[in-house]
Amino acid sequence: HAKSGTSNPASSNACTGKTFNFVITGGTEPYNVSLTPAGGTVTPPVVNSSGGSVAVSGLATGGGVTTVIVVDGGGTGRQQTRTATITCN
């Protein structure tokens, strides 16, 4: 089961006050979403169904690259991870 979503990187010269939205599909629900490095906000941090969306906010202009990490609920040996990046210059 492959997971897909907005895999193209998002880039903005001014991230302060902006929200970046992603749709999660495929794989096994639920999906846990996190950011690295920490510092922004993921709403909601757990998406319970395929086709559900997540919003990333609280990133600062000049913050550099933030990676959005989505891990599905496939369990040991079947769990899948996908990432997308947001660049704030």
Side-chain angles (χ1 to χ4, degrees), residues 4-67:
S4 63
T6 306
S7 59
N8 294 335
S11 183
S12 178
N13 287 332
C15 290
T16 301
K18 289 190 178 177
T19 300
F20 299 88
N21 296 296
F22 297 87
V23 174
I24 302 170
T25 60
T28 304
E29 302 92 353
Y31 311 98
N32 291 293
V33 186
S34 61
L35 301 176
T36 187
T41 302
V42 177
T43 308
V46 176
V47 176
N48 290 312
S49 61
S50 182
S53 63
V54 63
V56 176
S57 60
L59 302 178
T61 300
V65 177
T66 298
T67 302

Side-chain angles (χ1 to χ4, degrees), residues 28 72-80:
T28 304
D72 80 351
T76 304
R78 295 177 296 137
Q79 192 172 58
Q80 296 182 56

